[in-house]
PDB file of all heavy atoms in Angstrom:
ATOM      1  N   ASN A  14     118.129  87.144 104.520  1.00  0.00           N
ATOM      2  CA  ASN A  14     116.767  87.209 103.912  1.00  0.00           C
ATOM      3  C   ASN A  14     116.381  85.925 103.100  1.00  0.00           C
ATOM      4  O   ASN A  14     115.985  86.005 102.009  1.00  0.00           O
ATOM      5  CB  ASN A  14     116.660  88.442 103.029  1.00  0.00           C
ATOM      6  CG  ASN A  14     116.832  89.724 103.737  1.00  0.00           C
ATOM      7  OD1 ASN A  14     116.354  89.863 104.885  1.00  0.00           O
ATOM      8  ND2 ASN A  14     117.331  90.760 103.177  1.00  0.00           N
ATOM      9  N   THR A  15     116.647  84.808 103.690  1.00  0.00           N
ATOM     10  CA  THR A  15     116.495  83.556 103.063  1.00  0.00           C
ATOM     11  C   THR A  15     115.663  82.590 103.896  1.00  0.00           C
ATOM     12  O   THR A  15     115.821  82.456 105.101  1.00  0.00           O
ATOM     13  CB  THR A  15     117.911  82.917 102.714  1.00  0.00           C
ATOM     14  OG1 THR A  15     118.613  83.710 101.842  1.00  0.00           O
ATOM     15  CG2 THR A  15     117.660  81.595 102.001  1.00  0.00           C
ATOM     16  N   VAL A  16     114.760  81.921 103.250  1.00  0.00           N
ATOM     17  CA  VAL A  16     113.977  80.905 103.900  1.00  0.00           C
ATOM     18  C   VAL A  16     114.269  79.570 103.172  1.00  0.00           C
ATOM     19  O   VAL A  16     114.506  79.458 102.079  1.00  0.00           O
ATOM     20  CB  VAL A  16     112.460  81.241 103.894  1.00  0.00           C
ATOM     21  CG1 VAL A  16     111.986  81.237 102.445  1.00  0.00           C
ATOM     22  CG2 VAL A  16     111.700  80.281 104.667  1.00  0.00           C
ATOM     23  N   TYR A  17     114.184  78.537 104.040  1.00  0.00           N
ATOM     24  CA  TYR A  17     114.550  77.178 103.547  1.00  0.00           C
ATOM     25  C   TYR A  17     113.329  76.247 103.887  1.00  0.00           C
ATOM     26  O   TYR A  17     112.602  76.429 104.808  1.00  0.00           O
ATOM     27  CB  TYR A  17     115.788  76.587 104.200  1.00  0.00           C
ATOM     28  CG  TYR A  17     116.962  77.521 104.133  1.00  0.00           C
ATOM     29  CD1 TYR A  17     117.320  78.364 105.115  1.00  0.00           C
ATOM     30  CD2 TYR A  17     117.770  77.536 102.984  1.00  0.00           C
ATOM     31  CE1 TYR A  17     118.433  79.218 105.083  1.00  0.00           C
ATOM     32  CE2 TYR A  17     118.911  78.316 102.851  1.00  0.00           C
ATOM     33  CZ  TYR A  17     119.183  79.148 103.907  1.00  0.00           C
ATOM     34  OH  TYR A  17     120.368  79.997 103.791  1.00  0.00           O
ATOM     35  N   LEU A  18     113.254  75.230 103.019  1.00  0.00           N
ATOM     36  CA  LEU A  18     112.224  74.222 103.345  1.00  0.00           C
ATOM     37  C   LEU A  18     112.940  72.804 103.121  1.00  0.00           C
ATOM     38  O   LEU A  18     113.296  72.394 101.948  1.00  0.00           O
ATOM     39  CB  LEU A  18     111.065  74.267 102.394  1.00  0.00           C
ATOM     40  CG  LEU A  18     109.950  73.283 102.698  1.00  0.00           C
ATOM     41  CD1 LEU A  18     109.219  73.607 104.026  1.00  0.00           C
ATOM     42  CD2 LEU A  18     108.953  73.234 101.549  1.00  0.00           C
ATOM     43  N   GLN A  19     113.204  72.129 104.221  1.00  0.00           N
ATOM     44  CA  GLN A  19     113.720  70.809 104.238  1.00  0.00           C
ATOM     45  C   GLN A  19     112.658  69.837 104.114  1.00  0.00           C
ATOM     46  O   GLN A  19     111.753  69.787 104.984  1.00  0.00           O
ATOM     47  CB  GLN A  19     114.627  70.571 105.425  1.00  0.00           C
ATOM     48  CG  GLN A  19     115.217  69.164 105.549  1.00  0.00           C
ATOM     49  CD  GLN A  19     116.181  68.920 104.411  1.00  0.00           C
ATOM     50  OE1 GLN A  19     117.042  69.712 104.092  1.00  0.00           O
ATOM     51  NE2 GLN A  19     116.104  67.744 103.770  1.00  0.00           N
ATOM     52  N   MET A  20     112.609  69.038 103.021  1.00  0.00           N
ATOM     53  CA  MET A  20     111.562  68.117 102.822  1.00  0.00           C
ATOM     54  C   MET A  20     112.086  66.685 102.889  1.00  0.00           C
ATOM     55  O   MET A  20     112.941  66.304 102.104  1.00  0.00           O
ATOM     56  CB  MET A  20     110.899  68.359 101.488  1.00  0.00           C
ATOM     57  CG  MET A  20     110.411  69.711 101.228  1.00  0.00           C
ATOM     58  SD  MET A  20     109.558  70.038  99.701  1.00  0.00           S
ATOM     59  CE  MET A  20     110.940  69.779  98.536  1.00  0.00           C
ATOM     60  N   ASN A  21     111.530  65.918 103.820  1.00  0.00           N
ATOM     61  CA  ASN A  21     112.047  64.490 104.045  1.00  0.00           C
ATOM     62  C   ASN A  21     110.818  63.609 103.832  1.00  0.00           C
ATOM     63  O   ASN A  21     109.691  64.007 103.806  1.00  0.00           O
ATOM     64  CB  ASN A  21     112.569  64.346 105.438  1.00  0.00           C
ATOM     65  CG  ASN A  21     113.794  65.155 105.733  1.00  0.00           C
ATOM     66  OD1 ASN A  21     114.560  65.512 104.815  1.00  0.00           O
ATOM     67  ND2 ASN A  21     113.953  65.538 106.958  1.00  0.00           N
ATOM     68  N   SER A  22     111.115  62.307 103.562  1.00  0.00           N
ATOM     69  CA  SER A  22     110.128  61.260 103.455  1.00  0.00           C
ATOM     70  C   SER A  22     109.111  61.707 102.312  1.00  0.00           C
ATOM     71  O   SER A  22     107.945  61.601 102.492  1.00  0.00           O
ATOM     72  CB  SER A  22     109.368  61.047 104.758  1.00  0.00           C
ATOM     73  OG  SER A  22     110.322  60.571 105.735  1.00  0.00           O
ATOM     74  N   LEU A  23     109.641  62.217 101.216  1.00  0.00           N
ATOM     75  CA  LEU A  23     108.725  62.704 100.173  1.00  0.00           C
ATOM     76  C   LEU A  23     107.919  61.541  99.611  1.00  0.00           C
ATOM     77  O   LEU A  23     108.390  60.441  99.470  1.00  0.00           O
ATOM     78  CB  LEU A  23     109.545  63.336  99.112  1.00  0.00           C
ATOM     79  CG  LEU A  23     110.161  64.798  99.443  1.00  0.00           C
ATOM     80  CD1 LEU A  23     111.303  65.146  98.560  1.00  0.00           C
ATOM     81  CD2 LEU A  23     109.039  65.804  99.353  1.00  0.00           C
ATOM     82  N   ASN A  24     106.745  61.800  99.261  1.00  0.00           N
ATOM     83  CA  ASN A  24     105.880  60.871  98.508  1.00  0.00           C
ATOM     84  C   ASN A  24     105.333  61.509  97.311  1.00  0.00           C
ATOM     85  O   ASN A  24     105.457  62.738  97.029  1.00  0.00           O
ATOM     86  CB  ASN A  24     104.777  60.385  99.458  1.00  0.00           C
ATOM     87  CG  ASN A  24     103.875  61.446 100.015  1.00  0.00           C
ATOM     88  OD1 ASN A  24     103.317  62.248  99.296  1.00  0.00           O
ATOM     89  ND2 ASN A  24     103.855  61.463 101.383  1.00  0.00           N
ATOM     90  N   VAL A  25     104.695  60.751  96.505  1.00  0.00           N
ATOM     91  CA  VAL A  25     104.228  61.181  95.116  1.00  0.00           C
ATOM     92  C   VAL A  25     103.212  62.433  95.287  1.00  0.00           C
ATOM     93  O   VAL A  25     103.238  63.253  94.387  1.00  0.00           O
ATOM     94  CB  VAL A  25     103.501  60.041  94.395  1.00  0.00           C
ATOM     95  CG1 VAL A  25     102.835  60.450  93.083  1.00  0.00           C
ATOM     96  CG2 VAL A  25     104.549  58.889  94.102  1.00  0.00           C
ATOM     97  N   GLU A  26     102.492  62.327  96.341  1.00  0.00           N
ATOM     98  CA  GLU A  26     101.464  63.409  96.513  1.00  0.00           C
ATOM     99  C   GLU A  26     102.112  64.750  96.915  1.00  0.00           C
ATOM    100  O   GLU A  26     101.433  65.851  96.871  1.00  0.00           O
ATOM    101  CB  GLU A  26     100.601  63.105  97.771  1.00  0.00           C
ATOM    102  CG  GLU A  26      99.560  61.975  97.468  1.00  0.00           C
ATOM    103  CD  GLU A  26     100.204  60.578  97.374  1.00  0.00           C
ATOM    104  OE1 GLU A  26     101.205  60.409  98.158  1.00  0.00           O
ATOM    105  OE2 GLU A  26      99.768  59.799  96.592  1.00  0.00           O
ATOM    106  N   ASP A  27     103.474  64.804  97.102  1.00  0.00           N
ATOM    107  CA  ASP A  27     104.185  66.040  97.280  1.00  0.00           C
ATOM    108  C   ASP A  27     104.551  66.742  96.014  1.00  0.00           C
ATOM    109  O   ASP A  27     105.165  67.856  96.031  1.00  0.00           O
ATOM    110  CB  ASP A  27     105.455  65.830  98.161  1.00  0.00           C
ATOM    111  CG  ASP A  27     105.144  65.330  99.592  1.00  0.00           C
ATOM    112  OD1 ASP A  27     104.258  65.966 100.202  1.00  0.00           O
ATOM    113  OD2 ASP A  27     105.822  64.405 100.067  1.00  0.00           O
ATOM    114  N   THR A  28     104.329  66.081  94.926  1.00  0.00           N
ATOM    115  CA  THR A  28     104.676  66.556  93.569  1.00  0.00           C
ATOM    116  C   THR A  28     103.865  67.879  93.351  1.00  0.00           C
ATOM    117  O   THR A  28     102.711  67.961  93.600  1.00  0.00           O
ATOM    118  CB  THR A  28     104.360  65.568  92.505  1.00  0.00           C
ATOM    119  OG1 THR A  28     105.255  64.516  92.696  1.00  0.00           O
ATOM    120  CG2 THR A  28     104.602  66.207  91.105  1.00  0.00           C
ATOM    121  N   GLY A  29     104.586  68.834  92.776  1.00  0.00           N
ATOM    122  CA  GLY A  29     103.870  70.134  92.460  1.00  0.00           C
ATOM    123  C   GLY A  29     104.902  71.280  92.289  1.00  0.00           C
ATOM    124  O   GLY A  29     106.067  71.034  92.448  1.00  0.00           O
ATOM    125  N   VAL A  30     104.317  72.408  91.991  1.00  0.00           N
ATOM    126  CA  VAL A  30     105.122  73.656  91.916  1.00  0.00           C
ATOM    127  C   VAL A  30     105.087  74.291  93.323  1.00  0.00           C
ATOM    128  O   VAL A  30     104.076  74.588  93.907  1.00  0.00           O
ATOM    129  CB  VAL A  30     104.614  74.579  90.860  1.00  0.00           C
ATOM    130  CG1 VAL A  30     105.506  75.834  90.842  1.00  0.00           C
ATOM    131  CG2 VAL A  30     104.588  73.965  89.490  1.00  0.00           C
ATOM    132  N   TYR A  31     106.311  74.523  93.873  1.00  0.00           N
ATOM    133  CA  TYR A  31     106.403  75.108  95.172  1.00  0.00           C
ATOM    134  C   TYR A  31     106.769  76.604  95.029  1.00  0.00           C
ATOM    135  O   TYR A  31     107.758  76.935  94.341  1.00  0.00           O
ATOM    136  CB  TYR A  31     107.483  74.393  96.001  1.00  0.00           C
ATOM    137  CG  TYR A  31     107.044  73.074  96.454  1.00  0.00           C
ATOM    138  CD1 TYR A  31     106.711  71.999  95.636  1.00  0.00           C
ATOM    139  CD2 TYR A  31     106.880  72.888  97.897  1.00  0.00           C
ATOM    140  CE1 TYR A  31     106.303  70.727  96.112  1.00  0.00           C
ATOM    141  CE2 TYR A  31     106.423  71.609  98.442  1.00  0.00           C
ATOM    142  CZ  TYR A  31     106.119  70.667  97.511  1.00  0.00           C
ATOM    143  OH  TYR A  31     105.748  69.415  97.939  1.00  0.00           O
ATOM    144  N   TYR A  32     105.915  77.444  95.713  1.00  0.00           N
ATOM    145  CA  TYR A  32     106.094  78.852  95.632  1.00  0.00           C
ATOM    146  C   TYR A  32     106.492  79.355  96.916  1.00  0.00           C
ATOM    147  O   TYR A  32     105.963  79.056  98.008  1.00  0.00           O
ATOM    148  CB  TYR A  32     104.756  79.489  95.173  1.00  0.00           C
ATOM    149  CG  TYR A  32     104.220  79.137  93.921  1.00  0.00           C
ATOM    150  CD1 TYR A  32     103.417  78.052  93.683  1.00  0.00           C
ATOM    151  CD2 TYR A  32     104.680  79.809  92.708  1.00  0.00           C
ATOM    152  CE1 TYR A  32     102.920  77.712  92.438  1.00  0.00           C
ATOM    153  CE2 TYR A  32     104.198  79.545  91.400  1.00  0.00           C
ATOM    154  CZ  TYR A  32     103.223  78.421  91.370  1.00  0.00           C
ATOM    155  OH  TYR A  32     102.782  78.033  90.097  1.00  0.00           O
ATOM    156  N   CYS A  33     107.456  80.303  96.887  1.00  0.00           N
ATOM    157  CA  CYS A  33     107.854  81.030  98.014  1.00  0.00           C
ATOM    158  C   CYS A  33     106.928  82.367  98.048  1.00  0.00           C
ATOM    159  O   CYS A  33     106.601  82.978  97.053  1.00  0.00           O
ATOM    160  CB  CYS A  33     109.266  81.511  97.945  1.00  0.00           C
ATOM    161  SG  CYS A  33     109.949  82.447  99.302  1.00  0.00           S
ATOM    162  N   ALA A  34     106.608  82.714  99.298  1.00  0.00           N
ATOM    163  CA  ALA A  34     105.675  83.856  99.411  1.00  0.00           C
ATOM    164  C   ALA A  34     106.077  84.695 100.658  1.00  0.00           C
ATOM    165  O   ALA A  34     106.622  84.139 101.623  1.00  0.00           O
ATOM    166  CB  ALA A  34     104.205  83.424  99.583  1.00  0.00           C
ATOM    167  N   GLY A  35     105.782  85.989 100.570  1.00  0.00           N
ATOM    168  CA  GLY A  35     106.134  86.864 101.653  1.00  0.00           C
ATOM    169  C   GLY A  35     104.954  87.725 102.052  1.00  0.00           C
ATOM    170  O   GLY A  35     104.134  88.059 101.265  1.00  0.00           O
ATOM    171  N   LYS A  36     104.810  88.003 103.357  1.00  0.00           N
ATOM    172  CA  LYS A  36     103.756  88.833 103.884  1.00  0.00           C
ATOM    173  C   LYS A  36     104.313  89.884 104.830  1.00  0.00           C
ATOM    174  O   LYS A  36     105.198  89.647 105.675  1.00  0.00           O
ATOM    175  CB  LYS A  36     102.759  87.921 104.679  1.00  0.00           C
ATOM    176  CG  LYS A  36     101.514  88.597 105.169  1.00  0.00           C
ATOM    177  CD  LYS A  36     100.457  87.669 105.648  1.00  0.00           C
ATOM    178  CE  LYS A  36     100.860  86.813 106.809  1.00  0.00           C
ATOM    179  NZ  LYS A  36      99.785  86.079 107.435  1.00  0.00           N
ATOM    180  N   TYR A  37     103.823  91.101 104.685  1.00  0.00           N
ATOM    181  CA  TYR A  37     104.230  92.235 105.389  1.00  0.00           C
ATOM    182  C   TYR A  37     103.562  92.219 106.816  1.00  0.00           C
ATOM    183  O   TYR A  37     102.550  91.588 106.974  1.00  0.00           O
ATOM    184  CB  TYR A  37     103.994  93.549 104.726  1.00  0.00           C
ATOM    185  CG  TYR A  37     104.786  93.627 103.396  1.00  0.00           C
ATOM    186  CD1 TYR A  37     104.184  93.256 102.203  1.00  0.00           C
ATOM    187  CD2 TYR A  37     106.201  93.986 103.380  1.00  0.00           C
ATOM    188  CE1 TYR A  37     104.936  93.330 101.028  1.00  0.00           C
ATOM    189  CE2 TYR A  37     106.857  94.065 102.293  1.00  0.00           C
ATOM    190  CZ  TYR A  37     106.274  93.725 101.058  1.00  0.00           C
ATOM    191  OH  TYR A  37     107.015  93.736  99.918  1.00  0.00           O
ATOM    192  N   PRO A  38     104.170  92.872 107.790  1.00  0.00           N
ATOM    193  CA  PRO A  38     103.591  92.953 109.153  1.00  0.00           C
ATOM    194  C   PRO A  38     102.176  93.413 109.053  1.00  0.00           C
ATOM    195  O   PRO A  38     101.818  94.356 108.355  1.00  0.00           O
ATOM    196  CB  PRO A  38     104.451  93.872 109.873  1.00  0.00           C
ATOM    197  CG  PRO A  38     105.767  93.845 109.140  1.00  0.00           C
ATOM    198  CD  PRO A  38     105.375  93.631 107.778  1.00  0.00           C
ATOM    199  N   LEU A  39     101.214  92.794 109.830  1.00  0.00           N
ATOM    200  CA  LEU A  39      99.810  93.207 109.978  1.00  0.00           C
ATOM    201  C   LEU A  39      99.055  92.939 108.651  1.00  0.00           C
ATOM    202  O   LEU A  39      97.795  93.083 108.673  1.00  0.00           O
ATOM    203  CB  LEU A  39      99.597  94.603 110.414  1.00  0.00           C
ATOM    204  CG  LEU A  39     100.325  95.050 111.670  1.00  0.00           C
ATOM    205  CD1 LEU A  39     100.073  96.563 111.991  1.00  0.00           C
ATOM    206  CD2 LEU A  39      99.942  94.175 112.882  1.00  0.00           C
ATOM    207  N   ALA A  40      99.647  92.424 107.689  1.00  0.00           N
ATOM    208  CA  ALA A  40      98.895  92.075 106.423  1.00  0.00           C
ATOM    209  C   ALA A  40      98.179  90.807 106.586  1.00  0.00           C
ATOM    210  O   ALA A  40      98.601  89.923 107.377  1.00  0.00           O
ATOM    211  CB  ALA A  40      99.892  92.083 105.302  1.00  0.00           C
ATOM    212  N   VAL A  41      97.073  90.663 105.874  1.00  0.00           N
ATOM    213  CA  VAL A  41      96.315  89.526 105.934  1.00  0.00           C
ATOM    214  C   VAL A  41      96.690  88.496 104.825  1.00  0.00           C
ATOM    215  O   VAL A  41      96.876  87.287 105.094  1.00  0.00           O
ATOM    216  CB  VAL A  41      94.784  89.800 105.663  1.00  0.00           C
ATOM    217  CG1 VAL A  41      93.975  88.505 105.501  1.00  0.00           C
ATOM    218  CG2 VAL A  41      94.161  90.701 106.818  1.00  0.00           C
ATOM    219  N   ASP A  42      97.033  89.007 103.693  1.00  0.00           N
ATOM    220  CA  ASP A  42      97.420  88.125 102.546  1.00  0.00           C
ATOM    221  C   ASP A  42      98.887  88.215 102.322  1.00  0.00           C
ATOM    222  O   ASP A  42      99.529  89.188 102.613  1.00  0.00           O
ATOM    223  CB  ASP A  42      96.618  88.568 101.342  1.00  0.00           C
ATOM    224  CG  ASP A  42      95.149  88.412 101.584  1.00  0.00           C
ATOM    225  OD1 ASP A  42      94.688  87.435 102.188  1.00  0.00           O
ATOM    226  OD2 ASP A  42      94.367  89.232 101.001  1.00  0.00           O
ATOM    227  N   PHE A  43      99.415  87.172 101.684  1.00  0.00           N
ATOM    228  CA  PHE A  43     100.702  87.163 101.160  1.00  0.00           C
ATOM    229  C   PHE A  43     100.769  88.053  99.850  1.00  0.00           C
ATOM    230  O   PHE A  43     100.045  87.771  98.890  1.00  0.00           O
ATOM    231  CB  PHE A  43     101.189  85.743 100.788  1.00  0.00           C
ATOM    232  CG  PHE A  43     101.610  84.985 102.120  1.00  0.00           C
ATOM    233  CD1 PHE A  43     100.565  84.385 102.880  1.00  0.00           C
ATOM    234  CD2 PHE A  43     102.888  84.873 102.433  1.00  0.00           C
ATOM    235  CE1 PHE A  43     100.930  83.689 104.009  1.00  0.00           C
ATOM    236  CE2 PHE A  43     103.197  84.194 103.538  1.00  0.00           C
ATOM    237  CZ  PHE A  43     102.258  83.605 104.414  1.00  0.00           C
ATOM    238  N   ALA A  44     101.643  89.041  99.815  1.00  0.00           N
ATOM    239  CA  ALA A  44     101.670  89.995  98.743  1.00  0.00           C
ATOM    240  C   ALA A  44     102.790  89.791  97.774  1.00  0.00           C
ATOM    241  O   ALA A  44     102.656  90.183  96.598  1.00  0.00           O
ATOM    242  CB  ALA A  44     101.850  91.381  99.269  1.00  0.00           C
ATOM    243  N   ALA A  45     103.847  89.075  98.168  1.00  0.00           N
ATOM    244  CA  ALA A  45     104.955  88.868  97.304  1.00  0.00           C
ATOM    245  C   ALA A  45     105.058  87.351  97.001  1.00  0.00           C
ATOM    246  O   ALA A  45     104.937  86.533  97.927  1.00  0.00           O
ATOM    247  CB  ALA A  45     106.271  89.269  98.039  1.00  0.00           C
TER     248      ALA A  45
END
């Protein structure tokens, strides 16, 4: 139950808070 994000060639514009989100089947929005 794990998701990964490999980020390469990072630049200054990639700075920020990164949020993990989850969406249930058939849902429109991310709820978690």
